[in-house]
Amino acid sequence: MTKYAGKIERGFPGSLRVVWITFFLFFSCQSEVSEMIGEDPDLVITSGSEMAVWIQRATANNGSADDFLDGYSCGTVKFPVAVSLNGAVRMINNEGDLSIVKRITEELEIPVTLQFPVTILSKGYTEIRVNSAEEFAMLKEMCTRTPEDRITCVSFQYPLEMLTYNANNQSNGSVTIDDDEDFYKFIDQIGNLHTSINYPLVAKYITGEEVEISTNSEMISVVKEGKNICDSNGG
C-alpha cells in the first residue's frame, strides 16, 4: 500500500478530496469485535477482488463525451484544450464549452480539429501527453485493439464513505469519495488494505431508475444490470 496505508497522501493528479480520521481501539474485547470487518464477503473489499473489478468498470473514465472532437473512446481530452473550429482557434476550458462547440459543429456542420500538443486522460485517469496527430493516430489504433469494458449505464450518488481496516481487520479510518475518479483511484490503490462501503448508497441507471444498495452482492448485481442495459442498447 502506498497512498492509503495509515493515511492519505495529498497532491497526486486529480487529487482526492479525502477526510482521514485515524484512531486506535483501546476498548474492551466486546467493543473491539464490534469494530471488526471480519471476512464477510458482503462487507470486505480487497485489491483484485470481484467487487473491486466491478466498481472500477462502473467508475472508469467515460471517453464518449468528447468523441465528436477526438474520435478516441478510450479516454478524454484534459481541459483546457485548443481546437480549430472551421479554421478559427477556440479554447475549450470546461464541459460547458465542450457542449457549445459540439452544438456548433452539429448545427452548422463545420469541421473541428484538435490543436496539439494535448493531454489525454486514460480510462484509469492517468495523463498521456500527445504531441502530434501522428502520435494520436497510434493511440487510437491501440484503443481499437482494446476491448471496451467501461460500464456507462449505471452511476453512483456521491459523496459516499469508504471505511478502512488494518491488518487485524480493525477499523482505523474513513475516506470520503466525491466522484467516479475518486472511487476508481481509491480502489486502484487499496493494496493490502481492507475496505468497505458505508452502506447504504444509491445507484442510478440511464433509464432513470434509482436503486438503494446495502451489500457488496447487491452492488455487483446492480453494476451487472447496468452492463445488461448497455448491451441491450448497443453499448
Side-chain angles (χ1 to χ4, degrees):
M1 186 70 197
T2 58
K3 294 181 180 175
Y4 292 98
K7 69 176 184 178
I8 300 296
E9 291 184 0
R10 301 177 181 272
F12 60 93
S15 62
L16 287 172
R17 292 163 294 281
V18 298
V19 178
W20 188 263
I21 309 171
T22 305
F23 59 93
F24 297 95
L25 302 177
F26 294 108
F27 306 104
S28 66
C29 292
Q30 180 65 40
S31 174
E32 181 176 303
V33 169
S34 69
E35 294 295 335
M36 294 179 68
I37 191 172
E39 298 301 327
D40 187 343
D42 266 341
L43 289 178
V44 67
I45 304 171
T46 55
S47 179
S49 64
E50 181 184 13
M51 178 69 168
V53 170
W54 284 107
I55 288 175
Q56 289 198 300
R57 289 189 66 181
T59 58
N61 188 22
N62 184 359
S64 62
D66 61 358
D67 279 359
F68 79 96
L69 178 63
D70 59 17
Y72 181 66
S73 61
C74 293
T76 55
V77 293
K78 181 181 178 181
F79 303 128
V81 62
V83 300
S84 175
L85 190 60
N86 199 29
V89 176
R90 176 168 183 154
M91 293 300 298
I92 299 178
N93 296 302
N94 50 50
E95 292 182 359
D97 290 347
L98 185 68
S99 297
I100 292 172
V101 170
K102 183 178 183 180
R103 186 172 68 250
I104 291 173
T105 60
E106 291 175 345
E107 292 178 354
L108 301 182
E109 297 182 352
I110 57 178
V112 58
T113 55
L114 288 172
Q115 300 293 292
F116 294 94
V118 298
T119 299
I120 299 294
L121 292 178
S122 73
K123 179 178 69 175
Y125 301 97
T126 57
E127 295 188 2
I128 304 170
R129 180 76 166 179
V130 182
N131 296 303
S132 66
E134 291 74 22
E135 288 184 11
F136 203 20
M138 294 175 61
L139 198 61
K140 290 179 181 179
E141 175 62 25
M142 293 173 60
C143 178
T144 62
R145 298 197 298 264
T146 304
E148 180 56 61
D149 61 359
R150 168 69 159 97
I151 299 171
T152 61
C153 297
V154 62
S155 59
F156 304 118
Q157 186 178 96
Y158 298 102
L160 60 86
E161 184 181 42
M162 302 298 295
L163 307 178
T164 58
Y165 301 82
N166 63 21
N168 295 319
N169 284 334
Q170 296 172 331
S171 176
N172 68 353
S174 65
V175 177
T176 298
I177 304 294
D178 289 320
D179 53 31
D180 281 350
E181 182 176 352
D182 278 3
F183 210 174
Y184 186 100
K185 287 183 174 180
F186 179 82
I187 295 298
D188 201 46
Q189 298 177 53
I190 57 176
N192 294 325
L193 192 69
H194 285 187
T195 185
S196 67
I197 297 171
N198 189 9
Y199 291 111
L201 66 83
V202 175
K204 184 176 182 178
Y205 297 119
I206 58 168
T207 58
E209 178 187 359
E210 292 187 354
V211 57
E212 185 174 275
I213 302 172
S214 298
T215 66
N216 289 359
S217 297
E218 290 178 3
M219 170 71 106
I220 292 173
S221 295
V222 166
V223 177
K224 285 182 176 180
E225 179 58 24
K227 180 181 183 302
N228 292 336
I229 292 172
C230 282
D231 291 344
S232 64
N233 284 279

